[in-house]
Amino acid sequence: MAPTLVFDGDCGFCTSSARWLQRRLPDEVSVVPWQRADLEALGVTADEARAAVQWVGPAGRASGAAAVGRALEAAGGVWRPFGRLCRTPPTAWVAEVVYRVVARSRHRLPGGTPACRLDEASGGDRGGRP
């Protein structure tokens, strides 16, 4: 299975970030919104995809900051060390906190819209949206 990065296609900030990564990733890496992905084939639930970006590859799955780290590692070049930092403690712990803060604030970031707002009470789901 070729590596796949799964992101929230309803969020402008997420889409912009995923497209930025896609331009740096090798062609064999798929970058797909979770709303159009075959989540079952990827072994990812809709709740997991709503909660955080997902990386599915031959070495397994990662989500959140670890998924971003895997993508940066796959991009190679100057991005590879940043990817490793996102996945190696203690910087991985900091990266996950930063990821969660960005995720909660993504509706305020460039490209973000009210549709990007997470409903924190439901663990990331936006008010019952499918």
Side-chain angles (χ1 to χ4, degrees):
M1 169 188 284
T4 303
L5 181 72
V6 181
F7 67 96
D8 185 352
D10 284 344
C11 173
F13 175 77
C14 299
T15 299
S16 296
S17 299
R19 295 298 168 232
W20 182 89
L21 272 168
Q22 187 173 33
R23 288 190 301 272
R24 287 151 181 83
L25 288 166
D27 290 339
E28 65 268 10
V29 176
S30 296
V31 178
V32 61
W34 74 262
Q35 295 88 343
R36 289 189 291 179
D38 184 350
L39 295 178
E40 187 174 330
L42 293 169
V44 174
T45 68
D47 286 341
E48 290 168 332
R50 278 186 201 104
V53 65
Q54 304 289 315
W55 175 268
V56 182
R61 284 185 37 210
S63 67
V68 173
R70 292 269 177 116
L72 290 171
E73 285 181 287
V78 300
W79 304 111
R80 182 164 293 169
F82 293 107
R84 286 201 182 122
L85 285 172
C86 287
R87 297 187 336 100
T88 307
T91 54
W93 305 328
V94 174
E96 191 60 33
V97 169
V98 170
Y99 178 88
R100 295 292 165 204
V101 169
V102 169
R104 282 193 309 270
S105 304
R106 65 191 193 164
H107 62 284
R108 294 184 191 110
L109 298 172
T113 67
C116 300
R117 184 180 210 107
L118 294 177
D119 178 8
E120 294 178 31
S122 64
D125 186 2
R126 287 182 297 252
R129 288 178 65 182

